[in-house]
Amino acid sequence: MLSSDTDFLTLKLESTGGRPVIDYLLTRDSALSIVAISGGSKAKEIRLDLIKAFEQKQTGVLLNVD
């Protein structure tokens, strides 16, 4: 179960005419945990992409949006 203290941040945005928008920003560890337990058909590809992205960030290499 996710905890708002350690696993995600809540970001409340202004309304654009309807209900206020609430975004949930996952921590790195929470995002990796969710992907790790996912059994979807693209889960392995996403896991590898995330690992690569975090390695690039750690080494200071710019991330490619592609």
Side-chain angles (χ1 to χ4, degrees):
M1 186 162 144
L2 295 177
S3 166
S4 64
D5 294 334
T6 57
D7 297 322
F8 65 91
L9 300 171
T10 304
L11 179 64
K12 295 180 183 179
L13 304 174
E14 290 187 29
S15 172
T16 58
R19 287 185 251 169
V21 175
I22 300 175
D23 267 342
Y24 298 94
L25 307 174
L26 293 175
T27 63
R28 181 193 72 175
D29 291 343
S30 294
L32 290 173
S33 295
I34 290 169
V35 172
I37 63 172
S38 174
S41 60
K42 294 195 68 137
K44 182 175 181 179
E45 181 182 336
I46 293 169
R47 281 191 292 274
L48 294 174
D49 288 345
L50 276 172
I51 291 167
K52 182 178 176 184
F54 283 118
E55 285 174 352
Q56 288 177 346
K57 184 179 182 232
Q58 296 267 335
T59 59
V61 175
L62 293 176
L63 297 175
N64 184 347
V65 293
D66 293 333

